[in-house]
Amino acid sequence: MSQLTGSSPAAHRNVKTAIFVVLFLLIAAAGLSYVKWWPYYEKAFKAATDHSIGSSILTGSSETAPSPSWSAAVDYATAYYKSVWKAAVLGVLLGSLVQVLIPAQWLLKVLGKTTFKSTALGGIASLPGMMCTCCAAPIAVGLRKKNVSVGSSLAFWLGNPTLNPATLIFMTFVLSWKFTVLRLVFGILLTFGVSYFANRFAGKSEIPEEVLETTEEAVKQEEGPFLVRWLKSVGSMLLSIVPAYLLFVFILGAARAWLFPHVGLSEGNHLLAIIGFAIAGMLFVIPTAAEIPIIQSFMSFGLGTGPAGALLLTLPAVSLPSLLMISRSYPKKVLAFVAAAVVVLGILSGLAAMVIL
């Protein structure tokens, strides 16, 4: 009799957890269908028939970006936010719902450890998201606030832009399958390898086993009316991530001519040029898949395959605004390691591109 009584609360918690997880997945699927999946399905046909998905957000149809000015900042920010605002809203919505809807203990069991399995699950979970680095940042922040491990949350954050299935399809049609293979190889190294090793820079972040096995500490985070907790989560997220996001998109939009100077084929395949473009790509912020028309446009004006290969990884992977957006959720040395790893992998991608492209 005591066994039956003891098992009842556990069974009730399991049912409640399943309901909340399914509800979150339904909301995520509905949002992603509207913002990502259906638009990208139509965009894939454009890429296949036109071998283009639009003009470069950096330069338009020009050979170089406009000189730094207030007008250049406003023009870029307007084009950028017009492209990403729906995904940005969805990212904040899902990031806040992660904190108040998905039971903490379930997340801890699945993504709370610093093992490679936990990191791999975070990376795999990123594949349906197809978000740019800034739009995925609120979800990564939400995961960290639920004590998801550094490696798992980073794999989710990095996997969204670098292993985006839609982007890989567009890339194959617009650039070539060789670009796609290059992106896939270095994207996997970044998402799963760098994220896993980032756990080593996080200090003592392993969730104690007793917390994973019991619910008392996890449930404390989930007390109170749902609406109050959700509004508090949204407000906290907006205050912590939006100001830096808005400011640095303007700054980078104004400085794009400095970050991406015109480099022709004759001087553009040197190591110094590859390093420069790798750093610039890591700092700059773009919408999802915008690296494809950027690279296509630059190469049409003579950019070498080396810098193009560097931009292939560094442009989508991270950006200065996205790093600032998640800066309160990760140790500074973790963020420094990730930024440096993106640049190094970008350089290696550029060198590899010189060989295979």
Side-chain angles (χ1 to χ4, degrees), residues 259-304:
L259 290 169
F260 304 99
H262 174 68
V263 178
L265 182 61
S266 59
E267 68 271 19
N269 270 338
H270 296 300
L271 180 60
L272 189 61
I274 294 173
I275 293 172
F277 274 79
I279 295 172
M282 183 275 293
L283 293 172
F284 202 71
V285 58
I286 60 169
T288 302
E291 68 272 19
I292 297 174
I294 289 173
I295 292 171
Q296 184 182 36
S297 176
F298 277 169
M299 293 189 74
S300 72
F301 290 115
L303 183 70

Side-chain angles (χ1 to χ4, degrees), residues 171-173 175-183 356-357:
M171 192 174 294
T172 303
F173 288 129
L175 299 176
S176 80
W177 65 268
K178 292 181 180 180
F179 276 96
T180 305
V181 171
L182 195 65
R183 168 67 166 271
I356 69 172
L357 295 180

